[in-house]
Amino acid sequence: IQSFGIWDPVFNLTTKHVVSFCTQLINSDLKLTWNCYSVRADRVDDEQARIMKESGCQQVFMGVETLDDEIMKRINKREKVDDIKRAVEIYQNHGLKVIGFFILGLPGDTFGKSIGTCEKGINIGFDDQIWSHLTPYPGTSALEWVKENGRVLLDYRTATTGSREVVFDTSDYSAREREKAMSLIQWKLGHWYATVNPRYPQFLRMLLVMAGIALFDFKNSWGQYKKLAEFL
């Protein structure tokens, strides 16, 4: 074993907990690297980030959901975009990579807002973004909202974790638009593996990726082609 990951609803709920865990890890002399899933932006401070890095942490995964303040209010996130910007800056100043978890299709979301959130995340400086469609589970306010404002298209039990399948849609955000938004977001993030069939021959895959960049993310095509060259 060379590394491990911590899955915790809110690992950094208190600085005291973070410092206690990291101090014990340092004193154990295990010399293992680790990643943290997941943290809240509004709980981040320099003391946490410093000792997490010192104890071997390499990446933190932040539950962002959206970068639209109005949608944050609707889902009772109790954070603001400024909290997220500040948290990303603190972590990166201490040499930690920051990956954001995002949800497409939250109450009040639209095609334009989804794409806007992705682009804001790129501008804020996230090292990567992981996107999933909202899946309304039984017993949640999300399911009650869907019943009142949309239509269920897929039984949540058949949707995989971190699903890229459209489970429901609404009158102002159709299933087709949701699929298109998810595909466009993957192109913007350079996640070509999620959009080009890996069973295709490598040469064909490369051509399709180059064509996809020009078609879906022409504005950032130069940077995307540089990333592709580095990948190859």
Side-chain angles (χ1 to χ4, degrees):
I1 298 172
Q2 296 176 320
S3 64
F4 66 93
I6 290 184
W7 290 85
D8 189 312
V10 189
F11 173 74
N12 68 327
L13 187 62
T14 67
T15 297
K16 180 181 178 181
H17 171 68
V18 174
V19 171
S20 174
F21 172 82
C22 293
T23 300
Q24 292 180 67
L25 185 58
I26 292 168
N27 292 340
S28 71
D29 201 33
L30 289 174
K31 295 183 172 61
L32 296 176
T33 59
W34 60 287
N35 296 326
C36 183
Y37 317 78
S38 65
V39 296
R40 268 186 72 94
D42 61 351
R43 311 300 295 184
V44 177
D45 61 37
D46 278 292
E47 186 178 6
Q48 291 179 21
R50 177 192 60 77
I51 198 164
M52 287 172 70
K53 178 65 176 180
E54 185 181 342
S55 66
C57 185
Q58 294 183 317
Q59 297 182 108
V60 292
F61 291 70
M62 185 183 298
V64 180
E65 317 347 327
T66 181
L67 290 172
D68 184 291
D69 280 326
E70 184 58 39
I71 296 177
M72 281 189 178
K73 290 178 183 177
R74 288 196 179 200
I75 65 173
N76 200 29
K77 181 69 177 177
R78 299 183 184 181
E79 285 183 335
K80 295 182 179 179
V81 174
D82 286 343
D83 295 324
I84 292 162
K85 290 179 180 177
R86 172 184 159 277
V88 171
E89 184 177 356
I90 289 173
Y91 280 133
Q92 292 181 339
N93 284 344
H94 287 275
L96 293 165
K97 289 187 175 181
V98 188
I99 292 88
F101 286 127
F102 293 84
I103 299 177
L104 189 151
L106 292 165
D109 200 6
T110 62
F111 179 88
K113 289 181 179 179
S114 294
I115 302 305
T117 283
C118 175
E119 292 176 342
K120 283 182 185 177
I122 293 171
N123 293 333
I124 287 172
F126 279 96
D127 292 283
D128 203 356
Q129 300 177 30
I130 298 175
W131 281 75
S132 299
H133 285 289
L134 175 62
T135 301
Y137 293 110
T140 64
S141 58
L143 181 57
E144 297 307 311
W145 176 82
V146 170
K147 288 179 178 178
E148 292 178 9
N149 298 278
R151 56 176 185 149
V152 176
L153 304 173
L154 178 70
D155 189 322
Y156 78 94
R157 289 169 294 188
T158 67
T160 58
T161 301
S163 175
R164 291 212 178 107
E165 297 173 286
V166 179
V167 180
F168 74 96
D169 69 358
T170 58
S171 60
D172 55 353
Y173 203 174
S174 68
R176 184 174 181 180
E177 285 181 316
R178 291 164 189 257
E179 291 173 352
K180 182 180 178 181
M182 181 64 81
S183 179
L184 182 55
I185 285 168
Q186 300 310 317
W187 280 105
K188 284 182 175 292
L189 297 174
H191 294 175
W192 311 302
Y193 57 82
T195 52
V196 178
N197 194 321
R199 288 174 292 185
Y200 291 161
Q202 187 172 5
F203 180 71
L204 177 58
R205 290 180 67 196
M206 185 177 68
L207 289 178
L208 290 173
V209 166
M210 293 177 69
I213 290 171
L215 181 62
F216 294 109
D217 198 21
F218 181 77
K219 184 172 66 174
N220 302 307
S221 58
W222 176 243
Q224 289 273 37
Y225 286 135
K226 285 177 65 177
K227 190 185 295 186
L228 176 61
E230 292 170 2
F231 175 76
L232 294 174

Coordinates of all heavy atoms in Angstrom, one line a residue, residues 6-48:
I6 N -9.6 9.1 2.0 CA -10.6 9.3 3.0 C -11.9 9.7 2.5 O -12.0 10.7 1.8 CB -10.1 10.3 4.1 CG1 -8.9 9.7 4.9 CG2 -11.3 10.7 5.0 CD1 -8.5 10.6 6.0
W7 N -13.0 8.9 2.7 CA -14.3 9.2 2.2 C -15.1 9.7 3.5 O -15.3 8.9 4.4 CB -15.0 8.0 1.6 CG -14.4 7.7 0.3 CD1 -13.3 6.9 0.0 CD2 -14.8 8.2 -1.0 NE1 -13.0 6.9 -1.3 CE2 -13.9 7.6 -2.0 CE3 -15.9 9.0 -1.5 CZ2 -14.1 7.9 -3.4 CZ3 -16.0 9.2 -2.8 CH2 -15.1 8.7 -3.8
D8 N -15.5 10.9 3.5 CA -16.1 11.5 4.7 C -17.1 12.6 4.2 O -16.7 13.4 3.3 CB -15.0 12.1 5.6 CG -15.5 12.5 7.0 OD1 -16.6 13.2 7.0 OD2 -14.9 12.2 8.0
P9 N -18.3 12.6 4.7 CA -19.2 13.6 4.2 C -18.6 15.0 4.3 O -18.8 15.8 3.4 CB -20.4 13.5 5.2 CG -20.4 12.0 5.5 CD -19.0 11.7 5.7
V10 N -18.0 15.4 5.4 CA -17.3 16.7 5.5 C -16.1 16.4 6.4 O -16.1 16.6 7.6 CB -18.2 17.8 6.2 CG1 -17.5 19.1 6.1 CG2 -19.6 17.8 5.5
F11 N -15.0 16.1 5.8 CA -13.7 15.8 6.5 C -13.2 17.0 7.3 O -12.7 16.9 8.4 CB -12.6 15.3 5.6 CG -11.3 15.2 6.2 CD1 -11.0 14.1 7.0 CD2 -10.3 16.1 6.0 CE1 -9.8 13.9 7.7 CE2 -9.0 16.0 6.6 CZ -8.8 14.9 7.4
N12 N -13.4 18.2 6.8 CA -12.9 19.4 7.4 C -13.9 20.2 8.1 O -13.9 21.4 8.2 CB -12.2 20.3 6.3 CG -13.2 20.9 5.4 OD1 -14.2 20.3 5.0 ND2 -13.0 22.1 4.9
L13 N -14.9 19.5 8.7 CA -16.0 20.2 9.5 C -15.4 21.1 10.6 O -15.9 22.2 10.8 CB -16.9 19.2 10.1 CG -18.2 19.7 10.7 CD1 -19.0 20.5 9.7 CD2 -19.0 18.6 11.4
T14 N -14.3 20.6 11.2 CA -13.6 21.4 12.2 C -12.1 21.3 12.0 O -11.6 20.2 11.6 CB -13.9 20.9 13.7 OG1 -13.3 19.6 13.9 CG2 -15.4 20.9 14.0
T15 N -11.4 22.4 12.2 CA -10.0 22.4 12.1 C -9.4 21.5 13.1 O -8.4 20.8 12.8 CB -9.5 23.9 12.3 OG1 -10.0 24.7 11.2 CG2 -7.9 23.9 12.2
K16 N -9.9 21.4 14.3 CA -9.4 20.6 15.4 C -9.3 19.1 14.9 O -8.3 18.4 15.1 CB -10.3 20.7 16.6 CG -9.8 19.8 17.8 CD -10.8 19.9 19.0 CE -10.4 19.0 20.1 NZ -11.3 19.2 21.3
H17 N -10.4 18.6 14.2 CA -10.4 17.3 13.7 C -9.3 17.0 12.7 O -8.6 16.0 12.7 CB -11.8 16.9 13.1 CG -11.8 15.6 12.4 ND1 -11.7 14.4 13.0 CD2 -11.9 15.3 11.1 CE1 -11.8 13.4 12.2 NE2 -11.9 14.0 11.0
V18 N -9.2 18.0 11.7 CA -8.2 17.8 10.7 C -6.8 17.8 11.3 O -5.9 17.0 10.9 CB -8.3 19.0 9.7 CG1 -7.2 19.0 8.6 CG2 -9.7 19.0 9.0
V19 N -6.5 18.7 12.2 CA -5.2 18.8 12.8 C -4.9 17.5 13.6 O -3.8 17.0 13.5 CB -5.1 20.1 13.7 CG1 -3.8 20.0 14.5 CG2 -5.1 21.3 12.8
S20 N -5.9 17.1 14.3 CA -5.7 15.8 15.1 C -5.3 14.6 14.2 O -4.4 13.9 14.5 CB -6.9 15.5 15.9 OG -6.8 14.3 16.6
F21 N -6.1 14.5 13.2 CA -5.9 13.3 12.3 C -4.5 13.4 11.6 O -3.7 12.4 11.6 CB -7.0 13.2 11.2 CG -6.7 12.2 10.1 CD1 -6.9 10.9 10.4 CD2 -6.1 12.6 8.9 CE1 -6.7 9.9 9.4 CE2 -5.8 11.6 8.0 CZ -6.1 10.3 8.2
C22 N -4.2 14.6 11.1 CA -2.9 14.8 10.3 C -1.7 14.6 11.2 O -0.7 14.1 10.8 CB -2.9 16.1 9.6 SG -4.1 16.2 8.3
T23 N -1.8 15.1 12.4 CA -0.7 15.0 13.4 C -0.4 13.6 13.7 O 0.7 13.1 13.8 CB -1.1 15.8 14.7 OG1 -1.3 17.2 14.4 CG2 0.1 15.7 15.7
Q24 N -1.5 12.8 14.0 CA -1.3 11.4 14.3 C -0.7 10.7 13.1 O 0.1 9.7 13.2 CB -2.6 10.7 14.6 CG -3.2 11.2 16.0 CD -4.5 10.6 16.3 OE1 -4.6 9.4 16.6 NE2 -5.6 11.4 16.4
L25 N -1.1 11.0 11.9 CA -0.6 10.4 10.6 C 0.9 10.7 10.5 O 1.7 9.9 10.2 CB -1.4 10.9 9.4 CG -1.0 10.3 8.1 CD1 -1.2 8.8 8.1 CD2 -1.8 10.9 7.0
I26 N 1.3 12.0 10.8 CA 2.7 12.4 10.7 C 3.5 11.6 11.7 O 4.6 11.1 11.4 CB 2.8 13.9 10.9 CG1 2.2 14.7 9.7 CG2 4.3 14.3 11.1 CD1 2.1 16.1 10.0
N27 N 3.0 11.5 13.0 CA 3.7 10.8 14.0 C 3.8 9.3 13.8 O 4.7 8.7 14.4 CB 3.0 11.1 15.4 CG 3.2 12.6 15.8 OD1 4.0 13.3 15.3 ND2 2.3 13.0 16.7
S28 N 2.9 8.8 13.0 CA 2.9 7.3 12.8 C 4.1 6.9 11.9 O 4.4 5.7 11.8 CB 1.6 6.9 12.1 OG 1.5 7.4 10.8
D29 N 4.6 7.9 11.1 CA 5.7 7.7 10.2 C 5.4 6.6 9.2 O 6.3 5.9 8.7 CB 7.0 7.3 11.0 CG 8.3 7.5 10.3 OD1 8.3 8.5 9.5 OD2 9.2 6.7 10.4
L30 N 4.2 6.6 8.7 CA 3.8 5.6 7.7 C 4.3 6.0 6.3 O 4.4 5.2 5.4 CB 2.3 5.5 7.6 CG 1.6 4.7 8.8 CD1 0.1 4.8 8.7 CD2 2.0 3.3 8.9
K31 N 4.5 7.3 6.1 CA 4.9 7.8 4.8 C 4.1 7.4 3.7 O 4.5 7.0 2.6 CB 6.4 7.4 4.6 CG 7.4 8.0 5.6 CD 8.8 7.6 5.2 CE 9.8 8.4 6.1 NZ 9.7 8.1 7.6
L32 N 2.8 7.5 3.9 CA 1.8 7.2 2.8 C 1.2 8.5 2.3 O 0.9 9.4 3.1 CB 0.7 6.4 3.3 CG 1.0 5.0 3.8 CD1 -0.2 4.3 4.4 CD2 1.6 4.1 2.6
T33 N 1.0 8.6 1.0 CA 0.3 9.8 0.4 C -1.2 9.5 0.5 O -1.6 8.3 0.6 CB 0.6 10.0 -1.0 OG1 0.3 8.9 -1.8 CG2 2.1 10.4 -1.2
W34 N -2.1 10.5 0.4 CA -3.5 10.3 0.5 C -4.3 11.4 -0.2 O -3.8 12.5 -0.4 CB -3.9 10.1 2.0 CG -3.7 11.3 2.9 CD1 -2.4 11.7 3.4 CD2 -4.6 12.2 3.4 NE1 -2.6 12.8 4.2 CE2 -3.9 13.2 4.3 CE3 -6.0 12.4 3.3 CZ2 -4.5 14.2 4.9 CZ3 -6.6 13.4 4.0 CH2 -5.9 14.3 4.8
N35 N -5.5 11.1 -0.5 CA -6.5 12.0 -1.1 C -7.7 12.2 -0.2 O -8.0 11.2 0.5 CB -6.9 11.6 -2.5 CG -5.8 11.6 -3.4 OD1 -4.8 12.4 -3.4 ND2 -5.8 10.6 -4.4
C36 N -8.3 13.3 -0.2 CA -9.4 13.6 0.7 C -10.7 13.8 -0.1 O -10.8 14.7 -0.9 CB -9.1 14.8 1.6 SG -10.4 15.2 2.8
Y37 N -11.8 13.0 0.2 CA -13.1 13.1 -0.4 C -14.1 13.2 0.8 O -14.3 12.2 1.5 CB -13.5 11.9 -1.2 CG -12.4 11.3 -2.1 CD1 -11.4 10.5 -1.5 CD2 -12.4 11.4 -3.4 CE1 -10.4 9.9 -2.3 CE2 -11.5 10.9 -4.3 CZ -10.5 10.1 -3.7 OH -9.5 9.5 -4.5
S38 N -14.8 14.2 1.1 CA -14.7 15.5 0.4 C -14.7 16.6 1.4 O -14.9 16.3 2.6 CB -15.9 15.7 -0.6 OG -17.1 15.7 0.2
V39 N -14.5 17.9 1.0 CA -14.4 19.0 1.9 C -15.5 20.1 1.6 O -15.9 20.2 0.4 CB -13.0 19.6 1.9 CG1 -12.0 18.6 2.4 CG2 -12.7 20.1 0.5
R40 N -15.8 20.9 2.5 CA -16.6 22.1 2.3 C -15.8 23.3 2.2 O -14.9 23.5 3.0 CB -17.6 22.2 3.5 CG -19.0 21.6 3.2 CD -19.9 21.9 4.4 NE -20.4 23.3 4.3 CZ -21.5 23.7 3.6 NH1 -22.3 22.8 3.0 NH2 -21.9 25.0 3.6
A41 N -16.1 24.1 1.2 CA -15.3 25.3 1.0 C -15.3 26.3 2.2 O -14.3 26.9 2.5 CB -15.8 26.0 -0.3
D42 N -16.5 26.5 2.8 CA -16.6 27.5 3.8 C -15.9 27.1 5.2 O -15.9 27.8 6.1 CB -18.0 27.9 4.1 CG -18.9 26.7 4.5 OD1 -18.4 25.6 4.5 OD2 -20.1 27.0 4.9
R43 N -15.4 25.8 5.2 CA -14.7 25.4 6.4 C -13.2 25.4 6.3 O -12.4 25.0 7.2 CB -15.1 23.9 6.8 CG -16.6 23.7 6.8 CD -17.3 24.6 7.8 NE -16.9 24.3 9.2 CZ -17.4 24.9 10.3 NH1 -18.4 25.8 10.1 NH2 -17.0 24.6 11.5
V44 N -12.7 25.8 5.1 CA -11.2 25.7 4.8 C -10.5 26.8 5.4 O -11.0 28.0 5.4 CB -11.0 25.7 3.2 CG1 -9.5 25.7 2.9 CG2 -11.7 24.5 2.6
D45 N -9.3 26.5 6.0 CA -8.4 27.6 6.4 C -7.0 27.2 6.2 O -6.7 26.0 5.8 CB -8.7 28.0 7.9 CG -8.5 26.8 8.9 OD1 -7.5 26.0 8.7 OD2 -9.2 26.7 9.9
D46 N -6.1 28.1 6.4 CA -4.6 27.9 6.1 C -4.1 26.8 7.0 O -3.2 26.0 6.6 CB -3.8 29.1 6.3 CG -3.9 30.1 5.1 OD1 -3.3 29.7 4.1 OD2 -4.5 31.1 5.2
E47 N -4.5 26.7 8.3 CA -3.9 25.7 9.2 C -4.3 24.3 8.7 O -3.4 23.4 8.7 CB -4.5 25.9 10.6 CG -3.9 25.0 11.6 CD -4.4 25.3 13.0 OE1 -5.3 26.1 13.2 OE2 -3.9 24.6 14.0
Q48 N -5.5 24.1 8.3 CA -5.9 22.8 7.7 C -5.1 22.4 6.5 O -4.5 21.3 6.4 CB -7.4 22.8 7.3 CG -8.4 22.9 8.4 CD -9.8 23.0 7.8 OE1 -10.0 22.6 6.6 NE2 -10.7 23.5 8.5

